[in-house]
Amino acid sequence: MTMPDLHPDGFARLPMLLDALARFSAPGAGVTRLVYDEHWCEAQVWVRAQARALGLQATADAAGNLYLHSESVQPGAEVVLVGSHLDTVRHGGAYDGGYGAMAGLLLAAAHAGQPGTPVVGFITCEEEQSRFDSHMMGARSMLGIVEDAELDSVRDGEGVTWRQALQAIRASGHAAAPVAGGLCAPLFTPRAQFELHIEQGPVLESAGEAIGVVAHIAGYRRLRATLTGAPRHSGTTPLAARRDALAGAAEVILAAEALARASGEPARVSCGRVIAAPGLYNVVAGRSELALEVRHDRVEQLDALEAALLDHCDTIAMRRALAFTHERVAEQAPTALSPALVRMAAALANEHGVAHRIMTSGAAHDTMEFARAGIPALMLFVPSRDGISHSPDEFTGAAQLQAGVCFASDLLTRITAGGAW
Ligand code: GLV
Ligand code: MN
Ligand code: MN
């Protein structure tokens, strides 16, 4: 790959920035930085300082998303947005979100003052659904598609509403005032959007490839499912008389796994959490709540997986005399990214002899929201060691991280030049 003048140092400071960002975390293994928590707020202040040190302004919107831009790029301007998210899963890694966010910062700085469409870095406040029962709060607010009512309906596990959480961080300067009738209006006019990310799976590493050009992203449905039985004394209640909501949940979890196996690649069916009540040694569980998720890259298969999973839940509940209810708490449709940008990235890789593939992402990303809003959108992946992600063991080597940003920089030069793509 060439190293043109735009990135003479090969973005050498990127791994150092990622290490520094990872220190903004709750205690415990890996990185835990939930939207608007103290660690997220400190990280946001640090990012703003990094931007200033690189000659950029950091402008926060009313959700706490950041735009990293030259002073000369005025609100409303047509720009190319490049970045990722600042929040993490609980006990996640340093690279998911962090990589694209720091790459966006460096790319915006490297391309400042260059001819063509200006490059603006973006850092969304939330993507992971780790704190609030919502989805892609950052990207959706950036796009101006969050209605005022959602600020009261979306709550975290402690019952804090999105509006209350925002009021608290607004008071300390981490978010701007909301716009009339909603939360945010887009600050710029995106001519294109793109996100650099670790792959989070094993494909690139296994194939020895440097770059994944993402053409399509799998969708998901997330269901909060509740089984209700009867809490009874565990020492005196005969097995035949039990309506055990936790045993029912165990059956649902195994049925979910069997469904994924029977459906074959790339179907995914998972249960990420069970909360049993009353949660004691000596009481048969009277209630259990499951966090169920199905994923697929085709919408018909997503529909079929969701329907089959719900059928299993109904059957298991009926056999065990449990009541079953469910609520879909989040969804993402499988989403195609810009074919023109995919072609442009693949052509660049071919010209420079970069080992690459055009691929589908199994993980969901902010970029889905931009693409569905009609903005030409693209993602580039770099390899993940052993395909591990959403784990403290997430890792990508410095050379691979830098190769990704150098490639992205060359691609940005083509995108910003305009033309007929
Ligand atoms: C995002 O990380 C997701 O795929 O859930
Ligand atoms: Mn991510
Ligand atoms: Mn993630």
Side-chain angles (χ1 to χ4, degrees):
M1 197 186 315
T2 53
M3 295 274 189
D5 294 346
L6 271 183
H7 38 85
D9 67 352
F11 297 101
R13 82 189 91 175
L14 181 78
M16 196 185 68
L17 286 173
L18 270 175
D19 283 349
L21 179 62
R23 286 199 275 274
F24 298 102
S25 168
V31 182
T32 301
R33 193 167 53 239
L34 308 187
V35 64
Y36 310 143
D37 75 5
E38 62 180 288
H39 312 288
W40 180 97
C41 287
E42 286 166 5
Q44 201 217 40
V45 170
W46 176 83
V47 170
R48 294 165 85 144
Q50 298 309 307
R52 280 194 299 277
L54 288 166
L56 299 176
Q57 283 192 346
T59 303
D61 70 11
N65 298 304
L66 286 178
Y67 294 94
L68 313 171
H69 58 100
S70 300
E71 200 178 347
S72 60
V73 184
Q74 292 298 312
E78 272 209 347
V79 302
V80 175
L81 287 175
V82 54
S84 192
H85 56 98
L86 193 60
D87 66 320
T88 70
V89 294
R90 290 176 200 274
H91 306 296
Y95 302 82
D96 179 359
Y99 174 47
M102 293 301 95
L105 168 67
L106 294 180
L107 288 165
H111 285 259
Q114 297 295 315
T117 314
V119 174
V120 168
F122 74 87
I123 302 186
T124 58
C125 59
E126 195 276 352
E127 190 261 5
E128 295 284 14
Q129 207 179 341
S130 298
R131 174 175 173 187
F132 289 95
D133 239 351
S134 183
H135 64 285
M136 313 263 177
M137 291 159 64
R140 290 188 303 113
S141 49
M142 227 178 202
L143 287 161
I145 55 176
V146 170
E147 308 270 328
D148 191 57
E150 193 178 339
L151 298 179
D152 299 309
S153 61
V154 166
R155 290 175 185 271
D156 71 5
E158 255 94 65
V160 177
T161 64
W162 189 358
R163 188 186 303 280
Q164 289 164 337
L166 272 177
Q167 273 158 357
I169 68 146
R170 195 173 298 132
S172 50
H174 295 93
V179 300
L183 180 58
C184 305
L187 195 62
F188 297 103
T189 307
R191 167 137 169 68
Q193 175 269 353
F194 94 98
E195 182 173 1
L196 258 178
H197 210 281
I198 53 164
E199 181 202 335
Q200 309 183 272
V203 175
L204 294 175
E205 184 184 63
S206 308
E209 291 160 345
I211 297 288
V213 177
V214 180
H216 195 80
I217 304 181
Y220 64 66
R221 307 266 168 83
R222 290 180 178 158
L223 307 170
R224 189 192 298 126
T226 305
L227 292 167
T228 307
R232 296 288 184 266
H233 197 298
S234 64
T236 59
T237 312
L239 285 175
R242 293 184 181 199
R243 293 167 58 217
D244 185 335
L246 189 51
E251 265 202 75
V252 167
I253 294 165
L254 293 178
E257 188 187 45
L259 173 61
R261 277 192 215 291
S263 307
E265 286 290 317
R268 306 278 185 256
V269 189
S270 315
C271 176
R273 182 181 66 221
V274 184
I275 303 169
L280 298 170
Y281 284 100
N282 55 0
V283 187
V284 174
R287 185 173 184 279
S288 58
E289 185 187 291
L290 298 90
L292 299 173
E293 185 196 71
V294 297
R295 299 200 193 214
H296 205 284
D297 63 12
R298 286 174 41 214
V299 73
E300 318 78 56
Q301 296 302 319
L302 203 51
D303 287 341
L305 281 173
E306 186 184 37
L309 180 61
L310 290 174
D311 268 358
H312 283 301
C313 292
D314 278 330
T315 307
I316 292 163
M318 207 173 307
R319 181 162 32 76
R320 289 179 166 271
L322 304 170
F324 171 67
T325 57
H326 71 277
E327 181 189 355
R328 201 193 274 173
V329 293
E331 64 184 302
Q332 285 289 334
T335 303
L337 304 189
S338 161
L341 291 178
V342 168
R343 277 196 300 277
M344 193 186 276
L348 180 69
N350 284 327
E351 281 167 37
H352 292 288
V354 176
H356 69 287
R357 74 172 53 211
I358 296 174
M359 62 188 294
T360 293
S361 170
H365 299 283
D366 286 323
T367 293
M368 302 170 91
E369 296 287 347
F370 290 94
R372 284 204 308 277
I375 297 164
L378 181 68
M379 290 195 77
L380 296 177
F381 283 168
V382 294
S384 290
R385 186 177 67 191
D386 298 329
I388 295 171
S389 184
H390 283 184
S391 155
D393 296 332
E394 211 173 61
F395 180 77
T396 299
Q400 292 169 312
L401 295 169
Q402 287 173 56
V405 192
C406 290
F407 184 83
S409 184
D410 290 355
L411 185 60
L412 267 179
T413 302
R414 292 195 179 182
I415 294 173
T416 55
W421 59 268

